[in-house]
């Protein structure tokens, strides 16, 4: 049922007071498919918006098993102990396929989840990437309004989810394993190019030598790309999330990055271009959806397609025809 506007006000106030239960409830509304909830959450988001945008948004990606949750827990604990408020969100459109979310799972970050200054939200499942990405972005705004000043946005290395996370974060961190042999894949898929840093995890025990070697190789791979417009050279670091080694070092690197891009204006510039991207993307998605759901289009589409097959119409002429049809 639609909540009364008084309830919505209370919910919004709760978020602004940093109440995690209210934050969770609001994110549940964001994730809901119901139209009523969509209306309710619009009010919440617009009230929270002026209080958002203040956090550092860090994207973290890597294949399952690389140590994402172990790493995020250690980094998160380091940060909350420094007085930060840390929220962990996840983007994983595949979780409905792989059954159950493998990201943002609270049982994977047991210590962090218990910390009063931490908030962990498991993935919204059963959705398209576009849907999950939008919901995560809206959740980011609410987390920020609730006072979380560091957001860790986790994703697995599948499909286009890295690109989505890259487009909603200030820093993109790629977790890797030494000798996993997927370096070339990462280069091919453009993941390495997106990375602001590569952290080679599990650099412990017998792995240390291989990790050091991988560091050299990844440094070489990163140098194949032209330098970034933000004046930042992507770094390669070693870590052992399990032994809590290299985490503080990684954080120092992140701090350096933020100091640099905040002083040279790139931080703001990147956020602006991301906002513009999400604006145009949302418009395009919505126009597309409207077009294909149009009754005229649905009725004529098969026939037009048939005419293209039989070479009565070119695909371009057909598109013009249908686009005009949608307007009528
Ligand atoms: P995720 O799937 O990427 O979230 O990976 P997990 O954090 O769940 O870690 C997968 C496995 O690797 C677990 O058994 C962890 O204990 C182990 N692991 C994580 N980080 C390290 C590390 O730095 N060194 C070692 N040796 N094992 C690790």
């Amino acid at each position: 049922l639609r909540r009364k506007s008084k309830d919505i006000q209370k919910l919004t106030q709760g978020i602004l007071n940093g109440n995690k239960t209210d934050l969770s409830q609001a994110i549940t509304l964001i994730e809901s498919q119901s139209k009523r909830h969509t209306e309710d959450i619009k009010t919440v988001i617009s009230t929270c918006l002026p209080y958002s945008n203040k956090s550092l948004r860090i994207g973290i990606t890597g294949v399952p098993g690389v140590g994402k949750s172990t790493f995020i827990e250690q980094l998160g604990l380091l940060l909350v102990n420094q007085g930060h408020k840390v929220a962990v969100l996840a983007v994983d459109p595949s979780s409905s396929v792989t059954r159950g979310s493998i990201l943002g799972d609270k049982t994977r970050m047991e210590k962090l989840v218990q910390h009063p200054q931490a908030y962990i939200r498991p993935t919204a499942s059963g959705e398209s990437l576009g849907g999950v990405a939008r919901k995560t972005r809206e959740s980011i705004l609410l987390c920020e309004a609730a006072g979380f000043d560091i957001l860790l946005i986790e994703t697995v290395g599948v499909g286009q989810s890295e690109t989505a996370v890259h487009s909603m974060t200030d820093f993109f961190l790629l977790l890797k394993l030494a000798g996993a042999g997927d370096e070339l894949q990462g280069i091919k898929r453009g993941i390495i190019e997106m990375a602001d840093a590569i952290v080679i995890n599990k650099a412990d025990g017998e792995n240390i030598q291989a990790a050091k070697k991988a560091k050299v190789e990844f440094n070489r791979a990163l140098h194949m790309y032209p330098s970034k417009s933000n004046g930042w050279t992507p770094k390669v670091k070693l870590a052992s999330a399990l032994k809590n080694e290299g985490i503080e070092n990684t954080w120092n690197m992140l701090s350096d990055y933020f100091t640099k891009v905040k002083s040279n204006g790139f931080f703001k510039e990147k956020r602006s271009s991301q906002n513009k991207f999400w604006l145009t993307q949302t418009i395009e998605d919505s126009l597309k959806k409207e077009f294909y759901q149009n009754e005229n289009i649905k009725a004529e589409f098969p026939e037009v397609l048939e005419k293209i097959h039989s070479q009565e119409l070119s695909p371009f002429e057909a598109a013009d025809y249908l686009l005009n049809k949608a307007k009528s």
Side-chain angles (χ1 to χ4, degrees):
L1 264 175
R2 173 130 199 211
R3 284 154 192 261
K4 292 196 200 81
S5 67
K6 213 171 79 193
D7 293 345
I8 290 298
Q9 249 178 22
K10 222 174 123 211
L11 187 71
T12 312
Q13 199 50 52
I15 296 171
L16 295 174
N17 290 339
N19 183 309
K20 286 196 262 181
T21 311
D22 289 330
L23 176 61
S24 279
Q25 267 189 32
I27 295 181
T28 303
L29 290 182
I30 289 180
E31 288 168 358
S32 163
Q33 308 281 1
S34 128
K35 254 209 155 83
R36 283 175 185 152
H37 290 164
T38 312
E39 280 309 310
D40 288 344
I41 198 63
K42 263 190 205 161
T43 317
V44 179
I45 292 176
S46 62
T47 316
C48 286
L49 191 61
Y51 305 94
S52 71
N53 210 32
K54 281 177 290 198
S55 79
L56 305 179
R57 304 168 181 165
I58 300 163
I60 297 178
T61 188
V63 294
V66 71
K68 286 183 297 303
S69 53
T70 315
F71 183 88
I72 289 172
E73 171 153 85
Q74 300 286 22
L75 179 62
L77 287 171
L78 174 83
L79 295 171
V80 290
N81 287 328
Q82 287 183 1
H84 291 287
K85 282 184 74 183
V86 177
V88 181
L89 301 174
V91 173
D92 178 18
S94 69
S95 62
S96 57
V97 183
T98 49
R99 280 191 303 124
S101 82
I102 41 171
L103 293 179
D105 185 344
K106 296 185 181 187
T107 59
R108 292 160 68 236
M109 303 173 198
E110 277 175 350
K111 282 192 212 130
L112 189 61
V113 76
Q114 286 172 25
H115 201 286
Q117 282 152 241
Y119 176 72
I120 299 176
R121 180 76 187 188
T123 328
S125 62
E127 274 262 3
S128 66
L129 175 60
V132 172
R134 178 190 171 143
K135 287 170 183 186
T136 310
R137 269 192 73 95
E138 289 175 333
S139 305
I140 287 176
L141 300 178
L142 296 192
C143 288
E144 290 174 345
F148 290 92
D149 63 334
I150 297 187
L151 302 193
L152 304 176
I153 323 283
E154 182 186 10
T155 191
V156 269
V158 290
Q160 290 297 305
S161 60
E162 291 120 330
T163 313
V165 169
H166 181 252
S167 71
M168 62 176 86
T169 49
D170 308 309
F171 191 99
F172 195 66
L173 193 153
L174 176 58
L175 281 180
K176 279 281 185 184
L177 294 176
D182 60 349
E183 289 82 359
L184 218 61
Q185 250 243 328
I187 294 170
K188 257 199 231 154
R189 293 173 53 226
I191 309 303
I192 305 265
E193 194 173 358
M194 287 195 294
D196 296 301
I198 295 173
V199 173
I200 301 162
N201 191 37
K202 305 198 186 182
D204 47 42
E206 290 173 356
N207 261 328
I208 289 187
Q209 281 315 316
K212 285 184 179 160
K213 205 168 144 236
K215 184 176 172 180
V216 176
E217 281 161 19
F218 279 120
N219 256 321
R220 195 177 300 144
L222 284 173
H223 281 105
M224 295 184 343
Y225 300 107
S227 54
K228 299 196 175 191
S229 57
N230 55 7
W232 172 258
T233 314
K235 308 278 185 289
V236 185
K237 298 274 174 198
L238 298 180
S240 168
L242 195 67
K243 296 191 162 180
N244 201 8
E245 288 167 6
I247 308 295
E248 198 164 351
N249 196 303
T250 303
W251 173 242
N252 291 340
M253 168 192 65
L254 284 159
S255 301
D256 286 350
Y257 173 84
F258 285 115
T259 309
K260 185 159 196 166
V261 295
K262 282 197 169 182
S263 69
N264 69 11
F266 185 80
F267 183 85
K268 246 178 130 177
E269 206 179 289
K270 188 170 178 182
R271 288 239 172 141
S272 306
S273 70
Q274 287 179 340
N275 278 330
K276 185 177 169 195
F277 170 77
W278 285 93
L279 169 73
T280 53
Q281 176 99 345
T282 310
I283 292 172
E284 281 158 29
D285 285 353
S286 163
L287 286 174
K288 223 194 252 178
K289 201 167 151 196
E290 204 178 301
F291 177 82
Y292 287 110
Q293 282 177 353
N294 181 307
E295 291 304 325
N296 290 339
I297 303 303
K298 275 202 257 181
E300 288 210 36
F301 200 88
E303 210 177 303
V304 168
L305 198 58
E306 199 46 54
K307 283 189 177 156
I308 297 173
H309 287 324
S310 61
Q311 288 174 312
E312 278 172 71
L313 268 177
S314 78
F316 315 104
E317 249 182 301
D320 282 343
Y321 170 78
L322 288 175
L323 285 165
N324 277 321
K325 200 86 195 166
K327 287 181 207 152
S328 59

